[in-house]
Amino acid sequence: MSSDLLVNSSAMTALLALNQTQQNLNTYENQVSTGLAISSAQQNAAYWSIATSMNTQIGALGAVSSSLSESGSLLSTMNAALQQTVTIMNNINNDLITAQDLVNKGDTADLAKTQQDIGDQIQSLLSLGQSTQVNGVNFLQAT
């Protein structure tokens, strides 16, 4: 008994073309979904190596940018707090000069008010030191 295989060459050619089309479609779909023309080292090792290196550098630059932004926030917060501190210290200095003049004049009623004002200014300094925070860290808190 002989076995004969019936071969439809047109159907085989169409099937091969369909398989090739499907492979191309999968490749393009992968490129579109990932945004990368080369998705593995198999496709082009040199380009893959360059792309991987660049992605690593982009990640590192993102970390540096984030750190710089945080540092800028820290500097801005500390600058504002220190400017307020200088203003309060100038007010205390002025109150001390006023107190000295009041002592020289013997005016004890206004001297008590000036002393109270100095005490309030000191409390403002302590409050400023306790409330100035950046990311939960307080750099001005009195120890």
Side-chain angles (χ1 to χ4, degrees):
M1 178 175 207
S2 81
S3 68
D4 290 324
L5 291 174
L6 296 177
V7 177
N8 186 341
S9 62
S10 295
M12 300 258 313
T13 303
L15 184 59
L16 289 173
L18 183 60
N19 284 338
Q20 184 62 41
T21 302
Q22 187 62 42
Q23 286 176 353
N24 289 342
L25 180 62
N26 288 339
T27 300
Y28 293 133
E29 184 180 355
N30 186 33
Q31 288 174 352
V32 168
S33 68
T34 63
L36 302 173
I38 298 170
S39 61
S40 71
Q42 276 181 324
Q43 293 172 332
N44 189 327
Y47 284 172
W48 176 256
S49 175
I50 292 168
T52 303
S53 174
M54 290 181 77
N55 282 337
T56 302
Q57 290 175 0
I58 288 170
L61 288 175
V64 168
S65 176
S66 177
S67 294
L68 287 174
S69 176
E70 189 172 327
S71 296
S73 174
L74 171 71
L75 288 174
S76 176
T77 301
M78 291 301 118
N79 184 38
L82 291 174
Q83 284 179 350
Q84 288 178 333
T85 300
V86 167
T87 300
I88 292 171
M89 292 303 293
N90 285 336
N91 290 341
I92 290 174
N93 186 39
N94 291 338
D95 285 344
L96 289 172
I97 292 170
T98 301
Q100 185 178 10
D101 289 342
L102 293 173
V103 166
N104 291 340
K105 292 179 185 176
D107 188 354
T108 57
D110 286 336
L111 182 61
K113 291 179 188 176
T114 304
Q115 287 174 332
Q116 178 63 40
D117 189 41
I118 291 172
D120 292 344
Q121 299 283 350
I122 290 171
Q123 287 304 314
S124 293
L125 277 176
L126 293 173
S127 175
L128 180 65
Q130 291 172 351
S131 65
T132 302
Q133 295 184 1
V134 176
N135 293 332
V137 179
N138 189 334
F139 294 101
L140 298 179
Q141 186 173 12
T143 57

